[in-house]
Amino acid sequence: MPHPLEGRFSVDHSARLIRNYRYAVERALRALGGWIALTPEISAKLLMGRHVWDLAQHADAFGKRLPELRAPAQVSEPPNPAFAAFMDALEEPEGKEQTVERLVGVYRVLKPHLLATYRDHVARANPVYEPPTRRILERCIEDEARHIAAGETILRHLASTPALDERAAVWQGRLEGLLAAAGGVTGDGLPQASAAPPTATQPPELDDDAREWIRLERTVTVWPIPDDLRATLQSFGDALLARDAAAPRRWLAAGAAWDVGAESSLYAVKPAAHRVVAFARVGHHRLVKLSFEGADGAATLLTRWVPAADGWRVAALEVARVDAARPALPPP
Amino acid sequence: MRAREVAQLKIDQGLPPFPDLASRDSIKDRVHGIMVGELQAMEGAGRTVCDFPEAPWEFTLDMARQVWDESRHVEIYLRLLEHLDGYAGEFPETTILWRCACAEDAAARVAGVNRGLEGLACDVFNQLVHIARKMGDPILERAVEFVLADEITHVRMGSKWLTRLTEGDPERRRRAIEFQETIDERFNLGGMRRLGDHEAVPVSIATDVRRMAGFTEEEIERLIKSTQRSQVY
Ligand SMILES: [Fe+2]
Ligand SMILES: [Fe+2]
């Protein structure tokens, strides 16, 4: 039977591990914070927004523990340049269409690794003289398990097609390779897979329930478009698809000008289908964003409709954005 | 759409340019605007966490706390929209708050966002609590009152970090305060924000709340004067 005062870590080594954890956590929280503005999906924004503060508290607790271990407070340190390179790669996906990659990096690679590492550390830290570190790690373990569960819920929601799922798996594989090459967050090698479940076993509380964020993202399932306007929008969109120069102009309101530039930007994407992507109101006016998707990309038309004696008329239209079709992602 | 264009469209239809909270629909319009403001506040605070790794750690810690608060505020206002039978996207909104959050200097950002914009949020939320109480909507009243408490904390953080980050650098402090003042002047809500009782003015400047959040008497005085001048929003 081991002696109760037998220990695996020296004070200096323990401080080094804590600086390593703090490095990973600090970079992750700054990345999550910065990504919120780059991420279009509300559910993913809320996920990131919730977890920035938990991670900041982890980094803070690690940082405050350091002087108790004869080391300067609030210092982060990577174990080696390879781990810094892993974090650089994790932070890379900044495109608005790369939410899945962002979440995969944090929620399927980094956090599961941190969770396993913290559990491994607690299992090996001396229970008599290392409770200050153990208490901190136990809180982190609880939070990480909860975060991973929430992240997984959002990822399953966002990576909802086989193509996206495949992209997620490819990115995960690439990051896991970098992480293994670095020897993990401590540089000492990846911890043994833990017998404990990788995610939280307790159902989340309402304030941290990712399923609710998905529900809130979909607060409206059907735009409250009046039937006559819906029919008008269908015919208007069809006329634009048909590239009939005269037909769409029939809906122009008296005194309104037709935007030829908008029309040609629209044709440039070779539109084959159209759909309503936003529906707002200003008094009696209705603002409708119509997305036209085609072989060469997508164009979003912002239109303003006003009720007239003979039906809905378009009082303004402009191209809100044009996205050229992207070539398939190159292999990693 | 630009805020000015939306306001003009409303005026053209004989409607008040900014939600006057006289009807449930108008309250919904205001709550919608606040929800989008909270979203931009979350994005802005998140950027601040990310953009200033060289700032003192406690600064990052405060900003990270703010990100969490704002993310809860977004959720609260999404739920209040549901409560009011509305939905996200029902009214056109702008990114003007976000653009104000894009100052290069951390001190200017906390002055402009935490003290300027979130100070304005305190005025607006204070009024919303008052109206919710008056019309007997305890859901709206209680939820917004708690958000207001968080916002006062954010303004206080702004006051603290404006001072700390500019210690020994009066020029940096001057520029940050100047940035805040441009924001105070821009966001007068079409002249609706004024000094006075809730019953007497459309949006009352929450002077007590501002004192609680670290505003000096002189600053409050200057703000009141600025609301009597021109405005763009
Ligand atoms: Fe807020
Ligand atoms: Fe705030």
Side-chain angles (χ1 to χ4, degrees):
Chain A
M1 203 176 128
H3 192 283
L5 295 182
E6 189 180 300
R8 305 269 184 105
F9 309 119
S10 68
V11 168
D12 287 348
H13 184 72
S14 186
R16 199 266 284 171
L17 294 179
I18 284 175
R19 283 194 298 273
N20 294 162
Y21 301 158
R22 193 179 186 281
Y23 176 81
V25 171
E26 185 187 352
R27 283 199 66 172
L29 83 93
R30 293 195 195 278
L32 283 176
W35 283 343
I36 297 171
L38 311 178
T39 298
E41 299 87 353
I42 296 259
S43 56
K45 279 180 187 287
L46 291 176
L47 174 83
M48 295 171 178
R50 284 306 208 283
H51 296 167
V52 166
W53 171 235
D54 283 336
L55 289 180
Q57 289 175 93
H58 299 179
D60 190 54
F62 288 140
K64 285 187 172 131
R65 174 73 179 131
L66 284 169
E68 299 167 4
L69 296 167
R70 301 190 311 239
Q74 303 297 358
V75 171
S76 295
E77 180 188 35
N80 52 44
F83 188 79
F86 159 74
M87 289 303 300
D88 290 344
L90 182 139
E91 288 175 2
E92 236 170 67
E94 293 202 322
K96 69 175 166 46
E97 70 295 337
Q98 288 179 300
T99 305
V100 165
E101 279 84 354
R102 287 191 278 277
L103 296 187
V104 163
V106 171
Y107 292 92
R108 281 194 185 155
V109 181
L110 179 65
K111 283 178 174 287
H113 170 66
L114 288 178
L115 177 63
T117 305
Y118 295 158
R119 280 177 172 158
D120 184 60
H121 189 146
V122 169
R124 295 192 294 145
N126 182 279
V128 181
Y129 50 73
E130 290 187 86
T133 299
R134 292 170 63 107
R135 293 278 166 89
I136 295 169
L137 289 172
E138 276 154 11
R139 189 244 154 124
C140 297
I141 286 169
E142 193 181 304
D143 285 351
E144 291 300 2
R146 192 165 43 80
H147 291 189
I148 293 165
E152 202 45 50
T153 302
I154 302 294
L155 263 168
R156 279 198 296 267
H157 160 62
L158 295 179
S160 54
T161 65
L164 282 168
D165 217 29
E166 167 69 16
R167 240 174 63 189
V170 168
W171 184 245
Q172 182 175 345
R174 182 178 157 202
L175 289 179
E176 281 174 347
L178 291 170
L179 181 64
V185 63
T186 61
D188 299 334
L190 303 183
Q192 300 278 316
S194 148
T199 59
T201 46
Q202 297 289 320
E205 289 188 12
L206 189 63
D207 112 284
D208 205 20
D209 186 347
R211 293 166 304 181
E212 278 294 301
W213 304 332
I214 295 169
R215 189 186 69 72
L216 290 167
E217 182 178 87
R218 298 170 170 150
T219 44
V220 65
T221 44
V222 182
W223 305 110
I225 306 175
D227 287 344
D228 54 345
L229 178 56
R230 190 179 290 277
T232 301
L233 291 171
Q234 184 65 42
S235 307
F236 178 74
D238 290 347
L240 281 168
L241 286 187
R243 299 194 182 206
D244 177 338
R249 288 168 171 77
R250 277 194 290 126
W251 283 281
L252 205 57
W258 186 258
D259 186 340
V260 179
E263 198 176 33
S264 51
S265 314
L266 189 67
Y267 291 162
V269 302
K270 302 201 179 92
H274 64 87
R275 64 195 169 97
V276 173
V277 291
F279 183 77
R281 64 195 173 92
V282 181
H284 299 299
H285 297 206
R286 296 294 177 268
L287 301 172
V288 185
K289 270 188 183 163
L290 292 164
S291 172
F292 290 82
E293 280 133 43
D296 286 354
T300 307
L301 206 59
L302 173 60
T303 57
R304 178 161 58 83
W305 295 83
V306 292
D310 53 350
W312 290 90
R313 289 290 173 263
V314 63
L317 81 164
E318 62 182 275
V319 169
R321 73 181 304 140
V322 176
D323 292 305
R326 284 169 179 272
L329 283 177
Chain B
M1 273 178 110
R2 293 260 165 200
R4 207 180 283 129
E5 290 173 317
V6 176
Q8 191 58 48
L9 276 178
K10 289 183 179 173
I11 292 167
D12 293 347
Q13 296 177 65
L15 299 166
F18 302 101
D20 57 5
L21 310 194
S23 65
R24 201 172 164 83
D25 197 57
S26 174
I27 291 173
K28 185 163 66 166
D29 191 347
R30 170 66 61 82
V31 165
H32 191 278
I34 295 172
M35 184 273 292
V36 174
E38 297 289 3
L39 207 51
Q40 293 174 53
M42 172 171 71
E43 293 172 338
R47 279 317 311 179
T48 301
V49 165
C50 180
D51 292 342
F52 304 108
E54 308 306 328
W57 165 248
E58 290 71 22
F59 175 71
T60 298
L61 202 57
D62 273 353
M63 293 298 116
R65 168 58 195 246
Q66 189 179 336
V67 174
W68 185 54
D69 290 344
E70 305 301 3
S71 83
R72 292 184 299 101
H73 296 173
V74 172
E75 178 173 339
I76 289 165
Y77 279 103
L78 281 170
R79 290 180 187 280
L80 283 176
L81 271 182
E82 277 187 309
H83 169 66
L84 295 165
D85 300 318
Y87 65 93
E90 186 169 357
F91 303 96
E93 299 292 350
T94 73
T95 52
I96 190 162
L97 300 179
W98 162 255
R99 280 180 276 134
C100 288
C102 292
E104 291 285 328
D105 179 33
R109 226 183 260 188
V110 289
V113 176
N114 289 61
R115 307 188 88 230
L117 293 177
E118 305 202 81
L120 166 72
C122 289
D123 298 338
V124 170
F125 295 175
N126 208 21
Q127 177 212 22
L128 199 50
V129 170
H130 170 77
I131 295 214
R133 193 174 297 141
K134 211 166 82 170
M135 64 187 237
D137 186 336
I139 300 281
L140 186 64
E141 180 191 339
R142 193 52 54 79
V144 177
E145 202 193 348
F146 267 93
V147 176
L148 173 61
D150 288 341
E151 298 304 352
I152 296 171
T153 306
H154 300 167
V155 181
R156 201 183 290 127
M157 283 175 186
S159 301
K160 174 173 100 183
W161 286 109
L162 170 65
T163 302
R164 292 224 191 140
L165 293 174
T166 62
E167 244 157 35
D169 191 344
E171 176 54 22
R172 188 179 176 196
R173 184 180 170 85
R174 190 191 60 74
R175 281 198 310 267
I177 290 177
E178 211 172 80
F179 180 62
Q180 181 194 329
E181 284 173 357
T182 63
I183 286 180
D184 288 338
E185 293 205 15
R186 288 177 82 175
F187 290 87
N188 277 330
L189 299 174
M192 290 186 353
R193 177 161 77 147
R194 293 202 293 272
L195 181 68
D197 187 76
H198 286 301
E199 299 298 332
V201 299
V203 179
S204 169
I205 295 174
T207 46
D208 290 353
V209 160
R210 280 168 190 278
R211 276 183 203 106
M212 223 181 278
F215 270 67
T216 63
E217 293 304 323
E218 191 197 338
E219 284 178 309
I220 293 172
E221 198 55 45
R222 198 168 337 118
L223 178 71
I224 292 165
K225 279 209 184 97
S226 83
T227 62
Q228 293 151 3
R229 293 200 290 272
S230 64
Q231 63 287 133
V232 298
Y233 180 71

